[in-house]
Amino acid sequence: MQDRPPLTLLLPVRVALAESSGGGRFGGMNPICVSHSYDNIISPENLLNAWKEFLRGKQGKKDVQTFEYHLIENICLLHSDLLLDTYCHGGYESFNISDPKPRIIHKASVRDRLVHHAIYRILYPFFDRTFIADSYSCREGKGVHRAMHAFRAYAYRASQNHTQTLWVLKCDIRKFFASIDHSVLLNILHSRIADERTISLLANIIGSFHSTASGKGLPLGNLTSQLLVNIYMNEFDQFAKHTLKAKQYVRYSDDFVIVSTDRAWLVSLVPRIQYFLLEELKLELHPGKVSIATLASGVDFLGWVHFPDHRVLRTSTKRRMLSALRANPPEETLASYRGMLRHGNAYTLSVLIPKPKGA
């Protein structure tokens, strides 16, 4: 049976946040800082390597071709602006997608996206080492399917091979990207990055966009946004692991689960989680997407409904896929469906997908 904690438990309450070691600001230890400098980010060599990475799969785009036509000149001008601290991030082109729910993607200019890649190349390797193993979004060697496998492994372990009733606390953060607080994010970055010019460049990019209010939000579409939201949520990851002592915790972007055989303990976590998110990160749990359910009743997580010994595709995802199949989608879409369905009990659906030509 699925239920939601009483509304009184969803109200912010003051709790003592115990200090414990970890990789966030709240870990009780002085964090290790980035050793690379601003010069490493803006060097012509890094900009050229960033261009090679950025170019993959984009050679046919008109704006990319225009920039590439005068590539060396454009990179030299960009390097000069970065060197003289005259670089200013431009605006965004926006468009809508359904992935699967409607989202607004904001696309920066080629020049600005090249800067994003240059920053990412230098900062990602450092910050990735500070993240917990059970953070699975936008990280090399991670992803949705590994998050689902980790969830299954934790469920198996916590329930002692499914011999005990397992409860799952599932939470979702309300308007995640749109709610990222710029001041909080910059404070977190200051705790890890000593180079003020690097901080200034990041502040330039962060400040180039706002969602519902000034000083709020990161654009869906920036490569830097993927890294920055993980840096932001690493504060909560460390809190969950080291203060809440949630050993069986898995997060993918703004969705996270904690599993336990102790339902009362999971209920007690809800106000502590809500308080930390609100007070430390200016985030809120989605009131309609906080639930505690037994795994045996089915837990909807990352597009699949999970049970002790199998998982099935979420009904809405299934309907969307069947609707798309009626429109004769391209082979790359069919291939993605085949890959997705291999990760669950979906044989009946898989036979509906045409086989590749020549197979």
Side-chain angles (χ1 to χ4, degrees), residues 9-207:
L9 291 178
L10 295 178
L11 298 175
V13 294
R14 292 205 169 270
V15 294
L17 302 180
E19 287 190 350
S20 59
S21 61
R25 291 181 302 152
F26 306 97
M29 296 176 65
N30 292 325
I32 300 171
C33 291
V34 176
S35 60
H36 292 290
S37 70
Y38 181 76
D39 291 336
N40 296 128
I41 294 173
I42 72 164
S43 71
E45 181 184 8
N46 189 51
L47 290 173
L48 282 169
N49 286 329
W51 173 257
K52 293 175 186 177
E53 294 176 3
F54 167 77
L55 193 60
R56 292 171 191 160
K58 302 184 184 73
Q59 292 94 331
K61 303 293 184 180
K62 187 176 180 180
D63 55 348
V64 175
Q65 292 173 345
T66 300
F67 189 92
E68 189 175 30
Y69 189 75
H70 298 288
L71 180 62
I72 300 303
E73 180 183 352
N74 283 329
I75 286 182
C76 287
L77 288 171
L78 176 58
H79 172 70
S80 177
D81 282 346
L82 291 166
L83 185 65
L84 298 174
D85 296 321
T86 56
Y87 168 79
C88 183
H89 197 287
Y92 294 85
E93 174 189 346
S94 63
F95 55 93
N96 298 318
I97 65 166
S98 295
D99 183 34
K101 58 186 178 183
R103 299 178 188 271
I104 301 176
I105 300 297
H106 292 86
K107 178 183 172 184
S109 69
V110 172
R111 188 175 195 256
D112 291 333
R113 282 183 283 160
L114 175 55
V115 174
H116 302 168
H117 276 261
I119 292 170
Y120 191 88
R121 292 189 77 254
I122 300 300
L123 296 188
Y124 172 82
F126 167 79
F127 278 105
D128 189 67
R129 293 193 296 271
T130 71
F131 300 153
I132 65 169
D134 288 313
S135 164
Y136 287 90
S137 175
C138 302
R139 296 180 64 192
E140 295 175 9
K142 300 287 185 178
V144 170
H145 302 310
R146 294 203 177 189
M148 293 195 302
H149 295 328
F151 174 54
R152 180 172 61 185
Y154 278 148
Y156 191 75
R157 185 186 309 169
S159 64
Q160 296 185 21
N161 303 347
H162 302 305
T163 60
Q164 297 183 26
T165 300
L166 187 73
W167 295 89
V168 181
L169 168 62
K170 180 177 177 293
C171 300
D172 179 278
I173 296 172
R174 184 174 178 269
K175 296 182 179 179
F176 181 43
F177 272 80
S179 299
I180 300 296
D181 187 279
H182 293 181
S183 295
V184 172
L185 175 57
L186 286 168
N187 284 337
I188 296 170
L189 292 171
H190 264 292
S191 73
R192 288 290 195 176
I193 301 172
D195 191 308
E196 288 298 328
R197 295 180 79 192
T198 300
I199 290 291
S200 179
L201 178 59
L202 290 169
N204 189 336
I205 295 170
I206 293 166

